[in-house]
């Protein structure tokens, strides 16, 4: 395993410090909401994770379109990375939304259109990764994945 470049080490350290600072701001500095108390603080993470997930899926779609135009496998790698990262962040958004929903709505899940489409979107991109696993030829796999995305 290669050692990390100095710039990456610096960025990792800054990311950890900013994350810990954000945690401190959420749990110490941000005031409590009158009705929901501490449960409201989940939204500081929930909303950010949902945005990162959705923007990652958008980035994957853009990378897929660029791949279809250029046929450069670099864009396929970017597309897959964006999908994988987005799946994690979007799953965190779905789970944190469920944690918030229990005290607010009295249930972890309702079949509201926003929640249902979020779950379907998560499953669609999981299916995209499964589709990729079933194709051996890299160019064909990249083309199918780009069209699917």
């Amino acid at each position: 395993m290669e050692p990390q470049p100095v710039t990456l080490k610096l960025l990792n350290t800054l990311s950890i410090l900013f994350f810990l600072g954000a945690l401190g701001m959420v749990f110490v500095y941000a005031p409590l909401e009158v009705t929901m108390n501490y449960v409201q603080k989940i939204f500081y993470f929930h909303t950010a994770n949902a945005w990162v997930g959705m923007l990652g899926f958008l980035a994957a779609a853009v990378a897929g379109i660029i791949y279809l135009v250029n046929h450069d496998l670099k864009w396929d790698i970017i597309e897959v990375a964006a999908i994988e990262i987005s799946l994690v962040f979007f799953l965190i958004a779905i789970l944190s939304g469920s944690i918030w929903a229990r005290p607010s709505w009295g249930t972890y899940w309702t079949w509201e259109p926003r929640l249902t489409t979020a779950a379907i979107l998560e499953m669609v991109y999981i299916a995209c990764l499964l589709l990729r696993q079933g194709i051996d030829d890299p160019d064909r796999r990249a083309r199918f994945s780009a069209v699917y995305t």
Side-chain angles (χ1 to χ4, degrees), residues 39 94-112 115:
V39 175
I94 291 172
L95 293 175
S96 62
S98 294
I99 293 169
W100 171 84
R102 176 71 173 138
S104 300
W105 298 341
T107 182
Y108 289 107
W109 187 266
T110 62
W111 291 101
E112 181 190 51
L115 301 176

Side-chain angles (χ1 to χ4, degrees), residues 44-92:
Y44 293 115
F45 300 100
H46 169 76
T47 307
N49 281 305
W51 271 101
V52 170
M54 291 302 292
L55 290 174
F57 290 141
L58 180 65
V62 169
I65 291 168
I66 294 173
Y67 172 79
L68 290 173
V69 171
N70 293 353
H71 300 290
D72 184 0
L73 285 176
K74 166 182 74 172
W75 292 104
D76 180 56
I77 294 168
I78 293 170
E79 174 191 347
V80 174
I83 290 172
E84 290 172 346
I85 291 168
S86 295
L87 281 172
V88 171
F89 278 96
F90 212 62
L91 181 64
I92 292 170

